[in-house]
Amino acid sequence: MKHAPYSDRRRRVCERLGDGVAIIPTAPERLRNRDAHYPYRFDSYFWYLSGFPEPEAVLVLIGGSEARSILFCREKSEEREIWDGFRYGPTSAAQAFGFSEAWPISELASRLPQLLAKRNTLWHSLGHDAEWDRRLGEALAALRADNRNGQQAPGEIRDLHGLLDEMRLCKDSHELDCMQRAADIAAAGHARAMRACRPGMAEYELEAELSYEFRRRGASGHAYTPIVAGGVNACILHYVANDKLLSGHALVLIDAGCEIEGYASDITRTFPVAGRFSAEQRAVYEIVLAAQAAAIAAIRPGARFADYHHAAVRVLCQGLIDLGLLTGTVDAAIESEAYKPYYMHRTGHWLGLDVHDAGAYRTGSGDDDWVILTPGMTLTVEPGLYLRPSDKVPEHLHGIGVRIEDDVLVTSAGSLVYTHAPRTVGEIEEVMHHE
């Protein structure tokens, strides 16, 4: 059954709610301008527990001995379906997605106080959505005002996102299948961009190649705004203008991933616009590639989240010394953070329904209080070097920006890189010169 993974997650949440109730709204539709909307994208927490794709929907989970899941959604409407497309409606939604029951969204306000009544705990993430903070506050106030008639409001509010973040850190088989499909499509998009690249093209032309391949293979689109950065633009970490022409003497950095059933891939590749690395470009690229290999080797069950970043930094510092950009020892460069003008971000992040996915990275404030890696966690590994033109950087290295990023699953045996876009110098040059 298609809804089985979502039903199982709801069951697991209900087991942890105690005698409580959880409220999970999906994201609202948002106007782009006038009466034109942005493409709709559901709330990740709501999707994780429901798999229900429509806006104007709220999931209510009730724990305890009478555990059940209740969906509030739009009613069937022949008129609106003519304009906007298919709607499930409550009856069909309950059957198709395995909810205990479903009601029209128009009845939520009147039913909400009773759903909250006589429950010890309300599970809700205060501060995530001001409108829902207000709506739930009003429902609680109504219950308290009716106290003389025996109504009782929940006496405790607990953070629902904290509970769900913990669950979302380790992916189930359905999630891993979606993420592998997203990774395969994104890898094909990067390879297409390499084959299409020519000096004089605009960055947005390569972006178009990616977009075409993503949609052609069934992805819903980009998982985030893509970065296509030629030359010195690659030294801008969040460059998204993608509107400059590509010089045949430069590298181009592409950071792009796609989305399948809500799940993201996240790949970065850097390659020479003309298809061959210069000696200087290759030297920097090989340092970053070695740093990525060291980071991946450090990923295993029982390791701390920060361990693979430290492994990458050590290799990058040695590389910067070899290039003449740093002096002294690797340990001194790490301790003084002398590498940070050339490498200023961390080596990765969680990956899943959100590109920077839910889940804590630390369990405390100490240097050793990092989350311990366990099988089922998915993360990115993305070291880089960014040599912005300055008097501290030799002219032959000016404007070289390199980042290499892959998606990695923590397994019981260690780790698995499941993104397969061309990565080594040889692989990239072979793809770019293949007719």
Side-chain angles (χ1 to χ4, degrees):
M1 292 183 295
K2 188 174 181 179
H3 66 73
Y6 305 97
S7 297
D8 180 65
R9 293 170 203 157
R10 294 196 296 270
R11 177 191 58 78
R12 289 163 54 201
V13 171
C14 285
E15 289 175 352
R16 299 184 62 178
L17 295 182
D19 187 24
V21 57
I23 311 293
I24 309 100
T26 195
E29 294 179 290
R30 299 196 183 277
L31 282 173
R32 182 180 184 274
N33 59 304
R34 297 285 283 187
D35 60 350
H37 286 80
Y38 284 104
Y40 182 69
R41 208 278 188 177
F42 40 74
D43 175 80
S44 293
Y45 291 101
F46 176 87
W47 178 261
Y48 179 73
L49 295 173
S50 71
F52 188 71
E54 297 179 13
E56 297 183 74
V58 176
L59 176 63
V60 179
L61 298 180
I62 295 177
S65 58
E66 54 178 303
R68 64 189 196 273
S69 59
I70 305 167
L71 179 73
F72 290 86
C73 65
R74 303 180 302 187
E75 294 188 79
K76 292 290 287 184
S77 169
E78 182 177 347
E79 178 184 0
R80 293 316 312 167
E81 288 186 64
I82 289 172
W83 287 92
D84 302 324
F86 174 78
R87 293 183 177 189
Y88 279 95
T91 300
S92 294
Q95 295 172 351
F97 295 88
F99 300 110
S100 305
E101 55 192 274
W103 300 96
I105 191 67
S106 59
E107 297 183 17
L108 176 63
S110 61
R111 291 181 178 271
L112 190 56
Q114 289 306 310
L115 291 170
L116 298 175
K118 298 182 180 180
R119 295 281 160 188
N120 293 331
T121 307
L122 166 62
W123 291 80
H124 169 66
S125 296
L126 288 170
H128 179 69
D129 185 323
E131 174 61 19
W132 268 96
D133 290 350
R134 182 191 65 77
R135 294 180 69 174
L136 288 172
E138 290 177 353
L140 293 173
L143 281 174
R144 294 180 184 121
D146 204 22
N147 181 260
R148 292 182 182 180
N149 294 322
Q151 297 288 21
Q152 180 180 342
E156 183 180 8
I157 298 177
R158 299 191 64 180
D159 179 28
L160 178 63
H161 284 184
L163 186 157
L164 295 177
D165 287 353
E166 180 183 336
M167 289 179 60
R168 286 174 59 182
L169 264 179
C170 290
K171 274 57 178 181
D172 58 36
S173 59
H174 171 258
E175 293 179 285
L176 294 176
D177 176 68
C178 291
M179 294 177 74
Q180 183 64 70
R181 287 158 57 204
D184 291 343
I185 293 171
H190 280 267
R192 182 186 185 90
M194 290 178 188
R195 289 192 296 269
C197 188
R198 298 290 185 275
M201 293 180 73
E203 294 164 341
Y204 55 72
E205 292 182 80
L206 291 186
E207 180 183 342
E209 297 287 344
L210 291 158
S211 299
Y212 174 81
E213 195 70 14
F214 290 176
R215 292 294 285 144
R216 186 178 79 87
R217 292 175 177 263
S220 58
H222 289 271
Y224 52 94
T225 303
I227 297 168
V228 183
V232 72
N233 293 334
C235 297
I236 303 170
L237 298 184
H238 294 160
Y239 175 82
V240 293
N242 301 353
D243 60 357
K244 303 300 186 295
L245 297 181
L246 297 171
S247 165
H249 302 291
L251 298 173
V252 58
L253 182 157
I254 298 180
D255 187 338
C258 66
E259 190 169 277
I260 289 285
E261 293 187 36
Y263 288 87
S265 52
D266 188 0
I267 300 175
T268 304
R269 289 294 184 266
T270 310
F271 53 91
V273 172
R276 298 287 184 195
F277 288 86
S278 69
E280 294 81 8
Q281 292 166 349
R282 181 171 185 149
V284 177
Y285 190 91
E286 294 284 12
I287 292 168
V288 176
L289 188 63
Q292 192 197 41
I296 292 169
I299 296 173
R300 65 180 71 90
R304 298 172 302 174
F305 177 82
D307 289 348
Y308 78 98
H309 172 69
H310 296 326
V313 167
R314 179 162 290 276
V315 175
L316 292 174
C317 283
Q318 182 61 62
L320 289 167
I321 292 170
D322 294 342
L323 290 173
L325 294 170
L326 296 180
T327 58
T329 67
V330 169
D331 287 338
I334 293 172
E335 185 176 357
S336 66
E337 298 185 334
Y339 63 88
K340 282 204 167 180
Y342 313 109
Y343 181 55
M344 60 293 294
H345 60 80
R346 297 199 66 84
T347 306
H349 52 78
W350 304 131
L351 183 68
L353 279 171
D354 299 309
V355 177
H356 288 209
D357 204 33
Y361 292 96
R362 286 180 175 271
T363 58
S365 58
D367 291 341
D368 294 331
D369 293 334
W370 292 91
V371 166
I372 301 299
L373 300 182
T374 60
M377 291 178 171
T378 48
L379 44 82
T380 67
V381 183
E382 51 177 310
L385 285 177
Y386 311 95
L387 310 182
R388 298 173 65 88
S390 75
D391 56 6
K392 295 182 180 179
V393 176
E395 188 173 352
H396 66 280
L397 296 176
H398 277 190
I400 295 179
V402 174
R403 183 163 66 251
I404 308 170
E405 179 179 21
D406 283 284
D407 304 342
V408 177
L409 168 67
V410 182
T411 69
S412 58
S415 64
L416 172 68
V417 179
Y418 63 93
T419 42
H420 303 298
R423 179 170 43 175
T424 68
V425 168
E427 290 169 345
I428 290 170
E429 292 187 345
E430 180 180 2
V431 166
M432 296 189 74
H433 285 270
H434 178 73
E435 296 298 334

